[in-house]
Amino acid sequence: MKIVSRSPSDSKGSSLALVLVVTTLAFLAAFVMAGTTSAHLGFTNRSSQSLRARNLAEAAVAQTIAALQENPEFGKSDESVQVTFPENPEGSEGSVSFSKTDPAYSTYNLDADNSRPGYDGRLVPPQSVHIVGVGRCREITRTIETIVTLPPYPYAIASAGPIESDGELLVGSLDPQNGSGVISAADLRPAHLASNDPAEASVQLGKDTTIIGDVQSVGGLRLSEGAVVKGQTLAYGQPVTLPKIQLDTYDPEGGASSYQELPPYLTDTTIHGAAKAPGDLAIFGDLDLNQGKLYVGGHLTVRGQILGQGLVVAKNGADLYTGARLSGGQAVLLSGGDVSIQGGGPLGSFFQGLVYTEGRFQARDI
């Protein structure tokens, strides 16, 4: 039998080697754990920055949509939107820009009947806006795209009260490219007429009336022989959604800009800028709206023609005699009472724009 004996120094050497191995493994484990923690922190930071950048882009898009709802021409003149949140890192921002000089730009196409190319080759449909929101948080950038469509209001005449025509009346829409040239019935596109009045004859159309579109009413329809409706007729239907317009918001007295105050009686009158008649206003002659805005706190009577392009607000109704020649997409008549328009024939007197009335609407020879 062979007996091997170990000296105390050999035992100490083995223990030291074991300690060194254990220490090395501990250091390696610490390095691995530190590397893993660092990777997790980096991933968490990038994920947080990416989420912040996306939220900023979405906020800029939402703010742009809100601006379009308030002003449908927002974006037409290279406007932009910037959004920041105080809790984000310094320099973080969400933005929307309609300027083509920016790398990611939005495209305004609300006023067009044709599609047009937008950012990154997107085709933007007519009556639409392509909104590109960009969010930035440190080195992370996120882009959000959306197409918002705001179709034109389909009704040429829409009333909460009854609608009556006992003379020549021609209702249609014009091609925006036609400008204010000579109007021919053959050139008119469909435009609709609607009444939310529940009366038995909420819409009454005389024999010389032509509606190039639909006629819809909550109550009954009374069409004389010879009245032409080229679209559909729907009686006892559901009410249409009328824009509830707060007429007081157009009162220039509450605005920051100056306005002209008018006396109750006038002859031929031209409106430049904003004008107001505090009570009833009677004009014994023509009213020329030169891109002007007229606010009448009472009832408006115009014995001559209404010429030009602009806005008329009559809180207690309006009677327009002889004819009207308001033309252009901004021609609007808003009334809180009954409206009566009498012209000299549908091809000689016309109202191109929107009639909004909370009372009865009557039209003849226009």
Side-chain angles (χ1 to χ4, degrees):
M1 178 175 68
K2 184 177 180 181
I3 298 175
V4 178
S5 64
R6 294 185 177 181
S7 64
S9 61
D10 291 336
S11 176
K12 291 179 179 179
S14 298
S15 298
L16 180 61
L18 180 62
V19 169
L20 289 174
V21 170
V22 171
T23 303
T24 301
L25 290 174
F27 274 118
L28 287 173
F31 280 127
V32 170
M33 290 181 65
T36 302
T37 302
S38 177
H40 283 174
L41 286 174
F43 176 78
T44 301
N45 286 336
R46 288 184 63 84
S47 178
S48 174
Q49 292 172 22
S50 177
L51 180 60
R52 290 173 185 269
R54 181 180 179 86
N55 288 341
L56 285 164
E58 289 180 346
V61 169
Q63 197 168 111
T64 303
I65 294 174
L68 276 166
Q69 290 176 331
E70 183 176 345
N71 175 20
E73 292 193 352
F74 183 85
K76 197 173 181 179
S77 302
D78 294 348
E79 288 89 348
S80 62
V81 168
Q82 284 79 36
V83 176
T84 58
F85 296 144
E87 65 272 16
N88 285 337
E90 186 177 355
S92 300
E93 182 185 62
S95 63
V96 168
S97 173
F98 286 88
S99 174
K100 288 188 176 181
T101 59
D102 288 325
Y105 60 89
S106 300
T107 302
Y108 184 95
N109 203 35
L110 269 182
D111 56 352
D113 291 329
N114 302 309
S115 300
R116 61 183 296 190
Y119 163 72
D120 201 24
R122 304 286 191 270
L123 196 62
V124 185
Q127 283 91 47
S128 300
V129 179
H130 181 215
I131 303 175
V132 181
V134 179
R136 300 176 183 86
C137 182
R138 290 186 171 166
E139 70 271 18
I140 302 297
T141 299
R142 290 290 178 263
T143 302
I144 301 292
E145 296 181 54
T146 185
I147 291 181
V148 177
T149 300
L150 299 176
Y153 192 69
Y155 300 101
I157 301 175
S159 174
I163 297 174
E164 179 182 349
S165 169
D166 56 0
E168 285 188 272
L169 175 66
L170 175 62
V171 176
S173 65
L174 284 173
D175 185 337
Q177 305 300 322
N178 282 355
S180 57
V182 177
I183 293 180
S184 169
D187 297 330
L188 292 178
R189 298 178 177 183
H192 311 305
L193 182 149
S195 169
N196 285 350
D197 189 81
E200 184 62 30
S202 59
V203 175
Q204 301 182 60
L205 302 180
K207 64 177 182 178
D208 295 319
T209 298
T210 301
I211 310 296
I212 305 178
D214 301 338
V215 175
Q216 180 175 346
S217 68
V218 173
L221 299 176
R222 184 174 297 168
L223 306 182
S224 299
E225 186 178 352
V228 177
V229 177
K230 295 195 174 182
Q232 297 181 331
T233 56
L234 176 62
Y236 305 107
Q238 296 297 317
V240 302
T241 301
L242 293 176
K244 181 58 180 178
I245 300 176
Q246 299 297 329
L247 301 183
D248 290 337
T249 61
Y250 294 93
D251 189 343
E253 188 171 345
S257 58
S258 61
Y259 67 94
Q260 177 187 6
E261 185 166 321
L262 302 177
Y265 302 100
L266 292 169
T267 55
D268 290 345
T269 302
T270 300
I271 302 296
H272 299 282
K276 175 183 178 179
D280 293 346
L281 174 62
I283 299 176
F284 297 93
D286 294 341
L287 171 61
D288 187 356
L289 292 174
N290 188 2
Q291 302 288 334
K293 299 178 181 180
L294 172 62
Y295 181 90
V296 180
H299 186 274
L300 171 65
T301 301
V302 181
R303 293 288 175 181
Q305 296 191 70
I306 297 183
L307 310 171
Q309 176 180 338
L311 170 68
V312 177
V313 180
K315 284 206 67 176
N316 294 340
D319 290 319
L320 311 181
Y321 297 93
T322 305
R325 291 184 180 274
L326 273 71
S327 62
Q330 299 297 320
V332 178
L333 171 62
L334 309 178
S335 172
D338 296 345
V339 172
S340 173
I341 304 179
Q342 299 185 32
L347 298 182
S349 303
F350 58 90
F351 188 106
Q352 180 187 344
L354 173 69
V355 178
Y356 171 91
T357 171
E358 296 174 359
R360 177 183 296 272
F361 179 82
Q362 294 180 299
R364 175 185 294 174
D365 298 334
I366 191 167

